[in-house]
């Protein structure tokens, strides 16, 4: 282990030991990832789905079949180092567990995809003096299922999920530019204001995560979200999948700055 | 056809009618692509190779098996609209042909990958007043096989190929920044100066394309190149492949600006 990755490793080990919390703000400066594991038979469809939908599904690493190791954090155990996992059967969420080791044994050939997460540009936003409300509130980021179709790939289809951060109107452009420098982790917002046009009826009732306060003078800003694969699982019903629970991410050894262009 | 894509379509039809020239500078402002077609059995390995090597192999579109159509130019015919194709058997280049229709029939399930090309940021370079020497010379861009391993994927492995443009020393940083805004089409340079460190013995003898003049005060600047898949074909020996000939690209309907972050 390189000493400079100690904060990431410490956070992973805390999760392995049973800590169950949303990871926004944990190990600041280290890239966090969404995760989905699918039987090998579905791996081509998913990798193509990511290629065709790079805003919500930027694939940062792919494991060998059956492996629970990743180049993004060589000493990590993908079965145990995420705070909370979801087990899906035929598109239905059947369990949430803090340790997916047992579920992992159900399929010997799971291929695991690690997908960029917008938490990666929250540190640069904060460094620019832009408040990230869900971090201030100590809650999970609010996420919404939109009316926007993803481009299908094989058997996989579904709508895009977005995360939302309220930003003061005079900082929205800067938030767009800062996040836009990180295209590998969702990049610039996909939508700014006008939430009804995304099919979001009520911002105070997110589909995933927690509602956050939106203050006078703030605009809701929407970024493509790595929970989109879970929406695709619900819509496409693969026989089996393991994902992270929304907001409960895999923390890698890679510095956020690695993804900046 | 949208009228605004007419220059791209005109260029493709000229190639379909038999024009055999390097495409740098053709249909300026429209994205050009590298191409590789592989039997479906090799498609997973290649898509993963692209994910693991996004600098040389940014995958912009993937066809369905057996299809020769792409979302990047719906009226194009991928078998005929590239000026010059290469046919590979067991890793050996066996033919160069201006029309790959016959070769395409050898395998009913070819999956075709279109890969970003550095020609995409040549227009912005020129607009900034940075000369692109191979365009001025009317020759093909010089390309070199380096000593840098790509990260393998399944049966695919090989070294990275780079393209080179000589840039005045006081414009190199600007060239890096301009191209860096286009990460989907190779992005920022991978190496600036010091060509021996890349294993390049003699810049006047490129492995692909044509040599260009390097003037006093200019620095050779190296970008990851979409000919890298051809180096992987040579090293990994899939039974069959069709690629473009280096520098002879597929011209899409997508404006270059689409890829800018």
């Amino acid at each position: 282990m390189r000493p400079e990755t100690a904060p990431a490793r410490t956070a992973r080990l805390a999760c392995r030991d049973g800590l169950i919390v949303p990871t926004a703000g944990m190990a600041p400066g280290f890239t966090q990832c969404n995760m989905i594991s699918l039987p090998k038979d579905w791996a081509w469809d998913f990798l193509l789905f990511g290629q065709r939908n790079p805003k919500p599904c930027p694939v940062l690493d792919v494991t060998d079949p059956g492996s629970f190791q990743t180049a993004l954090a060589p000493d990590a155990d993908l079965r145990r180092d995420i705070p909370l996992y979801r087990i899906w059967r035929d598109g239905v969420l059947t369990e949430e567990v803090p340790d997916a080791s047992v579920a992992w044994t159900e399929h010997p050939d799971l291929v695991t995809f690690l997908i960029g997460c917008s938490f990666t540009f929250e540190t640069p936003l904060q460094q620019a003096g832009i408040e990230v409300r869900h971090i201030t509130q100590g809650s999970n980021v609010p996420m919404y299922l939109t009316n926007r179709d993803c481009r299908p790939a094989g058997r996989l289809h579904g709508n895009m999920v977005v995360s939302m951060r309220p930003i003061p109107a005079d900082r929205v452009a800067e938030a767009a530019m800062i996040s836009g420098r990180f295209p590998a982790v969702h990049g610039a917002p996909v939508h700014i204001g006008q939430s009804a046009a995304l099919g979001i009826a009520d911002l105070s009732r997110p589909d995933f995560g927690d509602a956050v306060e939106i203050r006078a003078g703030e605009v809701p800003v929407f970024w493509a979200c790595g929970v989109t694969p879970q929406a695709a699982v619900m819509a496409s019903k693969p026989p089996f999948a393991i994902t992270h629970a929304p907001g409960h991410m895999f923390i890698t050894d890679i510095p956020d700055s690695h993804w900046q262009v």
Side-chain angles (χ1 to χ4, degrees), chain A residues 156-168:
Chain A
L156 281 173
H157 57 93
N159 286 11
M160 183 168 64
V161 175
V162 293
S163 64
M164 189 279 288
R165 292 160 186 80
I167 308 279

Side-chain angles (χ1 to χ4, degrees), chain A residues 33-39 42-43 45-47 49-50 56-59 61-63 67 78 82 85-88 104 109-116 156 226-234 236-238 240-245 248-250:
Chain A
C33 285
N34 303 273
M35 190 201 85
I36 181 167
S37 298
L38 289 164
W42 284 72
D45 286 3
F46 190 81
L47 191 55
F49 189 79
C57 301
V59 176
D61 197 31
V62 184
T63 70
S67 170
L78 290 169
I82 285 176
Y85 295 85
R86 292 181 149 187
I87 316 299
W88 304 79
W104 216 281
D109 65 354
L110 289 177
V111 176
T112 300
F113 300 86
L114 294 169
I115 296 162
L156 281 173
V227 172
T228 300
Q230 299 184 35
V233 164
M234 287 184 255
S236 317
K237 307 187 193 312
F240 186 76
I242 304 174
T243 71
H244 70 293
H248 300 69
M249 317 308 290
F250 178 70

Side-chain angles (χ1 to χ4, degrees), chain A residues 175-239:
Chain A
M177 288 190 291
I178 291 170
S179 57
R181 287 176 208 139
F182 293 86
V185 291
H186 303 308
V190 291
H191 204 82
I192 294 172
Q194 305 292 335
S195 52
L198 284 177
I200 301 171
D202 183 352
L203 285 171
S204 73
R205 297 178 59 191
D207 296 295
F208 311 92
D210 302 319
V212 296
E213 184 189 3
I214 304 179
R215 297 186 188 143
E218 291 180 339
V219 175
V221 178
F222 301 94
W223 279 268
C225 178
V227 172
T228 300
Q230 299 184 35
V233 164
M234 287 184 255
S236 317
K237 307 187 193 312

